[in-house]
Amino acid sequence: MASSRSDLDFLIPIILLDYLKIEIMDNGQHTHIVKYSTFVWVLIILLVFTFSSLAITKLDLGVFSVTAALVFASVKSVIVLMYFMHLKFDKKFYAIMMAGIVLLLTSVILVTFLDYLYR
């Protein structure tokens, strides 16, 4: 910390800091093993959604073209979040936080579409 002023140092002893470090590491770490076949299935599902979204662009859906593309992109991003970013195996708090962010993003996109629709 500050070498010239001893009143700026933390009052927590080194032993307590070591104890807290060990306690945090013991409680915070958990491992899970995912089979390779699970990742292969996720890859296949993502490829199916990718080719489906490409096929959707060939169809004339009118005003629902953008909506369909956003739905496919949302489903693909949820799959990536759940398996590749391991939200499925983490604490539920992280999933709740991610759902809040997705809800915020969805509301911003919805307000943008409503603004564009009623101009």
Side-chain angles (χ1 to χ4, degrees):
M1 298 293 165
S3 60
S4 62
R5 294 188 56 190
S6 63
D7 59 328
L8 294 178
D9 274 344
F10 288 118
L11 297 176
I12 301 173
I14 299 295
I15 297 171
L16 183 59
L17 285 177
D18 285 340
Y19 173 74
L20 289 175
K21 246 190 260 183
I22 292 170
E23 187 68 27
I24 289 170
M25 290 180 69
D26 287 344
N27 288 338
Q29 291 184 354
H30 62 280
T31 58
H32 58 275
I33 298 173
V34 181
K35 297 178 188 175
Y36 287 119
S37 62
T38 303
F39 287 126
V40 170
W41 279 109
V42 170
L43 173 69
I44 291 170
I45 291 169
L46 287 174
L47 287 173
V48 165
F49 274 113
T50 300
F51 290 126
S52 298
S53 65
L54 287 173
I56 284 265
T57 60
K58 303 297 181 194
L59 299 175
D60 183 26
L61 298 176
V63 294
F64 295 112
S65 295
V66 175
T67 306
L70 283 174
V71 166
F72 275 100
S74 299
V75 169
K76 288 192 306 185
S77 63
V78 166
I79 292 171
V80 167
L81 286 170
M82 295 301 285
Y83 286 97
F84 293 123
M85 294 181 72
H86 301 281
L87 276 182
K88 181 178 180 181
F89 309 106
D90 259 340
K91 296 177 183 175
K92 295 299 176 191
F93 175 73
Y94 298 127
I96 291 170
M97 291 300 291
M98 185 56 71
I101 292 169
V102 168
L103 183 65
L104 178 67
L105 178 66
T106 304
S107 63
V108 167
I109 290 173
L110 181 68
V111 167
T112 303
F113 279 139
L114 289 175
D115 180 45
Y116 178 75
L117 184 64
Y118 290 110
R119 277 193 180 187

